[in-house]
Amino acid sequence: MAANTPRNSTNARLYLLAAVLVLWCGGICLRLVYLQIFRYGSFEKRAIHERERTEEVSARRGIIYDRTGHELAMSISVDSAFAVPTEIPDLAGTISLISRITKTDPRETLAKCKAARTFCWVARKADAETADRIRSLNLRGIYFQKESRRFYPKRELAAQVLGYVGMDDEGLSGIERQYDDKLRGSPGRMLISVDAHRKWFGSVEKQPEPGENVVLTIDEQIQYIAERELATAMEQTHAVTGTIIVQNPRTGEILALANQPTFNPNLTREITPERLKNHAVSDVYEPGSTFKVVTISGALEEKVTRPDEVFDCQMGSIVINGMRIRDSRPHGLLPVWGILAESSDVGAIKIALRLGEDRFYKYIRAFGFGQQTGIELPGETRGLTKPVSRWSKVSIGAISMGQEIGISPMQLALLVSTIANDGVSVPPRIVAGTSDPQPTPQTVAFHPADGRRVISAMTAAQMKQMMQKVVLEGTGKRAVLEGYSSAGKTGTAQKVDPATHAYSKTKYVASFAGFAPLNNPAIVVAVILDSAVGLHQGGQVSAPVFQRVAQQVLEYLHIPHDVELPRSRQLLLASRHTKTQELAEGSPDHLGEVLDADAPNPSAVPSPANTLANAIPGSSGSVVVPAAMHQRDFVATGPAESKQSSVVENPQSALAAAPEHLPSSGTVVLDAELGGIVVPSFAGKSIRGAIELAEDSGLDLDAVGSGLAREQSPAAGSHVATGSRVTVKFGR
């Protein structure tokens, strides 16, 4: 029994050990079963994540063509260098070498590579020279992958229209942004794998699908003409910015849209917000005298005046609600077409007063102001307009001559296109259509947007004739073309100083918008120059640019001449070399509120108009008398009669001297001219005799009507400067 006890004890220990081993092995088996069967999917994903990575391969963006099939934006195949950090023995040194070539921050690239153990871009979409230099280093763990890169073969041509793309081929501005969904296509996927020996290999899981092509209405040659002439004008005038728009008025197609300053979209690192801005659709400025087209066409459409009706422009001076407005030079009697040709603010104000606020505002909206044109470009402004309920007592006068309202250059082009298109407004378009992703250009049919009638064909025809007078006899003489008739309107507007929020005395926006030929317009050209140095009037700096652009574009389009070319060009050249002072326009005075696009609430800006009516007991200040009362009609006789001045320092004191029949409110015009030569009397003279008398006196005669002279302005005995214009009305 004693011998069996140790043996039993030994067996028990063996059984215990065996049980422990069995339990240990069972636990291991159960753990293996759990890991291999139940957790297999999880560990497989972790293993794949360690050795594999999927990268997106950008698709080839669609091509952007001009209307003739020339490529303006395309994608080319380039090398992109990437690193596999696990294969690089000295990661920091390798990244430093590459960064010296790519001129990037090595610390940023190194941080990205440390965060991604299997894949890291080190030179994305590099040019051929950069890729060759990196490849020549023969660095371990650095590989190359083909990618598509956006390329603009014409460099700066139509840069603001086309826009540019980012590193991941996303459109950031222009057409590239507006049509990004169509141009971008569908990206592919590339699988990056690392084997047990830390060797890299890759394969494409999904091929990228290229994007659609976009065809623009722009013509490459016309765009080049516009940009070249705009660059020349910028150099000559030292303007801050400039814009030229060339449009087909019948279809609304934009044939060219040029901006200065510009940029090269191939050099994305050099692009600045100032150069990126598309001024044609984003800028808001006061149109100045170009807005007289709206004023007069609305009045003609409403039958409140006619082209040959004569208005007394009162020697270029008028007072509205206590605010004096003066023309750039004195004008007497002018027909409506003369008011447009000579750009008389006084005449425009009188026409607007006759038209009335509600009807005037109706045509402002009808011509498209205060709303987007709908052109396919990002960042388009609506402009700045106010409903009639927010107009002040002087707003109608201010807006009639292009103040207290903000428009864009595209809206100006649309205004003139409406006149050229017989009163029908066709929205501007810059995209003709899209096509399937094919390497060769396809025919795309352009379908113009539906037109909308704004004024009658008769009114449009009258406006065409009047706008031709602007070019032939008025402020737009430097827009005369060779072999083609042309029409248009000049404009000059003072800018608002952003520092003082008041009108600047030295900064102006000069513009000219016109069309040619007259009876069958093929093109509309709008030219806007901002802050020209020296000469700054629209007729002085913008009209010559219109002439150069329109002349070349019409010849390029093979438009037949509609004006007989003279044997000698001296007469034509003489009309262009008009004295600069004869092209002056725009009042130095301002009515109503300062238009400040940067101001948060324009209506909150107090009106500078200190209403004269408020200083007169019992006056409402709401009635404006169209027929002006001259100073000589009511100033008391005596020595005070000779003390005349073109500027009234104290309107209240002048009004106090008026007799009782003077209305307590309304338009009071004080006209006074001294110095120069004495205007002779033309009464009873024939047109020939009046012309001879005017020549002998050193005056410029403007004859209205036929027969014998009945009325004249300025009156006989008035003192005017040499070379002043005298309007004589003839009758039978």
Side-chain angles (χ1 to χ4, degrees), residues 310 333 702-705 708-713 727-731:
V310 177
L333 297 176
D702 187 4
V704 179
L708 300 179
R710 301 299 183 187
E711 300 178 18
Q712 71 179 72
S713 177
T727 302
V728 179
K729 189 173 183 180
F730 294 84

Side-chain angles (χ1 to χ4, degrees), residues 62-75 150-159 161-163 175-176 214-221 223-224 227 254-255 264-266 430:
I63 302 172
I64 301 179
Y65 295 100
D66 81 333
R67 65 187 298 113
T68 60
H70 293 103
E71 295 170 334
L72 300 178
M74 56 191 295
S75 294
R150 205 59 167 165
F151 177 64
Y152 303 88
K154 309 301 179 181
R155 297 167 61 86
E156 292 87 357
L157 192 76
V161 173
L162 299 175
I175 294 296
E176 296 279 21
V214 174
V215 181
L216 304 182
T217 62
I218 281 179
D219 188 299
E220 178 188 273
Q221 296 298 324
Q223 180 72 25
Y224 173 75
E227 292 197 7
I254 301 297
L255 304 179
N264 184 350
N266 294 312
I430 203 167

Side-chain angles (χ1 to χ4, degrees), residues 474-689:
T475 57
K477 293 178 182 177
R478 292 184 178 176
V480 174
L481 303 179
E482 297 183 31
Y484 298 101
S485 58
S486 60
K489 184 68 187 80
T490 58
T492 307
Q494 285 179 277
K495 292 183 62 178
V496 175
D497 189 336
T500 62
H501 297 288
Y503 286 101
S504 171
K505 299 297 183 182
T506 58
K507 303 296 183 182
Y508 299 84
V509 177
S511 58
F512 183 92
F515 54 89
L518 179 68
N519 294 321
N520 188 22
I523 58 170
V524 166
V525 180
V527 181
I528 295 90
L529 296 175
D530 184 357
S531 302
V533 178
L535 297 178
H536 58 268
Q537 300 281 344
Q540 297 167 351
V541 295
S542 296
V545 182
F546 165 88
Q547 187 276 327
R548 296 195 298 267
V549 172
Q551 188 73 45
Q552 296 176 70
V553 172
L554 291 172
E555 299 287 0
Y556 167 75
L557 295 175
H558 303 292
I559 303 299
H561 289 175
D562 66 334
V563 175
E564 183 179 357
L565 287 171
R567 296 180 181 179
S568 173
R569 298 173 58 191
Q570 292 182 358
L571 181 62
L572 183 64
L573 294 176
S575 66
R576 289 193 196 155
H577 290 83
T578 309
K579 296 179 181 179
T580 56
Q581 59 267 28
E582 295 180 9
L583 307 178
E585 63 178 341
S587 173
D589 309 304
H590 292 272
L591 289 175
E593 300 170 350
V594 174
L595 181 73
D596 190 353
D598 298 327
N601 184 8
S603 63
V605 180
S607 172
N610 297 320
T611 56
L612 181 62
N614 293 337
I616 306 174
S619 67
S620 64
S622 60
V623 180
V624 180
V625 182
M629 301 190 64
H630 293 267
Q631 183 184 18
R632 59 178 175 269
D633 295 333
F634 61 82
V635 175
T637 59
E641 288 183 344
S642 61
K643 297 179 181 179
Q644 299 176 345
S645 173
S646 60
V647 178
V648 177
E649 300 295 340
N650 190 348
Q652 286 82 354
S653 63
L655 188 61
E660 295 180 356
H661 69 270
L662 179 65
S664 61
S665 64
T667 301
V668 180
V669 178
L670 311 178
D671 86 359
E673 292 291 332
L674 283 177
I677 60 177
V678 178
V679 178
S681 174
F682 294 90
K685 292 190 176 294
S686 64
I687 295 180
R688 181 182 182 86

Side-chain angles (χ1 to χ4, degrees), residues 579 582 675-680 682 689-702 714 718-727:
K579 296 179 181 179
E582 295 180 9
I677 60 177
V678 178
V679 178
F682 294 90
I691 292 175
E692 293 176 350
L693 179 58
E695 290 179 351
D696 293 340
S697 303
L699 299 173
D700 186 8
L701 182 70
D702 187 4
S718 302
H719 294 260
V720 298
T722 304
S724 297
R725 174 168 293 188
V726 177
T727 302

